[in-house]
Amino acid sequence: AADALFRRAVERGPGDAEVVGAYAAFVADVLRDNDTAEVYYRRALEADPDHAGNLGRFACFLHAVRGDHVTADQLYQRAIHCAGGGDAEVLGNYASFLETEKDDAAMAEKYWRLAVEADPRHAYNLTGYARLLACSGENATAAEYFKRAALVDGGEDQTVAGFYLDFLQAVRETDDNAGQYLAEAAEALPHCGPVLQAYGEYLVEVRGAREEGEALIRRASHIVTL
């Protein structure tokens, strides 16, 4: 039904870049028909070569689906230029592309920063930047960005909360400030069972604070986990 509605909208406005681009994304993400999606992405860009959203989505499609990193890089840069550098979604996707496909941590950090500045409450960009910082050993700053990401929706986003928990577990034995990071996470996310569990176990096993730690573990057991 949704496909038929989209098709009728495209037939009524074949030169409407917004509609055609939205249909391309629908075909790619929902119907999983990559060949047809590419046709419509190209039609959308023919209708408006400077449509930042379509440029960014097609760039993401080309790098993630087609493996065409050269064209994807060019389109990402065009998208950022056409958006005036203020589209957090495009900036974050380009930062991820630079980090994972180009292995360029310095440029990735630059674009993660720009993405976070463009939208300080974009949880996935905050998390992406935090993960890069953690990989660089900047744990204190990473912990702050992980916390900011989790606070966007109170820890309800399981992907964001999961990455935060992975970080907390990873630094538990290696960073002298791990207790502080865990305490701040538990305070920020008092209803996130896995975080409370992790902090409770840290208190028992590392700090020897059995009573306090076991109380947190009991609280965690009554909360639905990730």
Side-chain angles (χ1 to χ4, degrees):
D3 185 37
L5 289 172
F6 256 128
R7 281 182 177 275
R8 284 199 293 272
V10 170
E11 288 168 2
R12 288 195 298 269
D16 187 328
E18 193 75 28
V19 171
V20 179
Y23 183 56
F26 172 80
V27 172
D29 299 339
V30 179
L31 301 184
R32 304 293 183 185
D33 183 346
N34 294 327
D35 291 340
T36 302
E38 183 167 348
V39 168
Y40 281 97
Y41 273 127
R42 292 189 183 280
R43 287 185 187 176
L45 291 177
E46 287 173 6
D48 182 357
D50 296 327
H51 190 293
N54 288 336
L55 286 165
R57 285 188 288 272
F58 191 31
C60 189
F61 173 87
L62 288 175
H63 106 247
V65 176
R66 298 302 199 200
D68 184 352
H69 299 157
V70 173
T71 308
D73 197 342
Q74 295 168 350
L75 290 180
Y76 274 129
Q77 292 186 48
R78 277 180 58 196
I80 291 167
H81 173 75
C82 291
D87 188 319
E89 195 75 24
V90 173
L91 289 165
N93 286 339
Y94 189 43
S96 178
F97 170 78
L98 290 167
E99 183 180 349
T100 59
E101 305 300 344
K102 294 286 197 176
D103 196 26
D104 189 339
M107 286 297 289
E109 180 168 5
K110 171 186 173 180
Y111 280 95
W112 280 127
R113 281 183 176 275
L114 291 171
V116 169
E117 288 171 5
D119 183 357
R121 288 184 56 78
H122 192 297
Y124 287 96
N125 286 344
L126 290 165
T127 298
Y129 187 31
R131 294 179 71 197
L132 177 66
L133 290 167
C135 287
S136 302
E138 298 180 50
N139 291 342
T141 310
E144 182 59 31
Y145 278 95
F146 274 122
K147 184 172 70 173
R148 283 177 57 184
L151 284 172
V152 169
D153 65 358
E156 293 298 319
D157 189 307
Q158 295 187 5
T159 301
V160 171
F163 281 129
Y164 192 9
L165 183 63
D166 288 345
F167 164 76
L168 294 169
Q169 297 282 26
V171 300
R172 199 184 96 150
E173 306 294 338
T174 59
D175 192 313
D176 292 340
N177 295 314
Q180 177 186 334
Y181 306 150
L182 281 158
E184 290 175 352
E187 181 179 357
L189 304 173
H191 304 296
C192 184
V195 168
L196 297 181
Q197 176 83 20
Y199 186 34
E201 291 173 352
Y202 173 84
L203 289 172
V204 172
E205 298 168 9
V206 178
R207 291 290 177 82
R210 181 169 298 277
E211 185 175 348
E212 183 182 358
E214 289 181 347
L216 280 172
I217 293 170
R218 285 194 297 273
R219 276 178 57 195
S221 69
H222 294 296
I223 299 173
V224 176
T225 60
L226 292 174

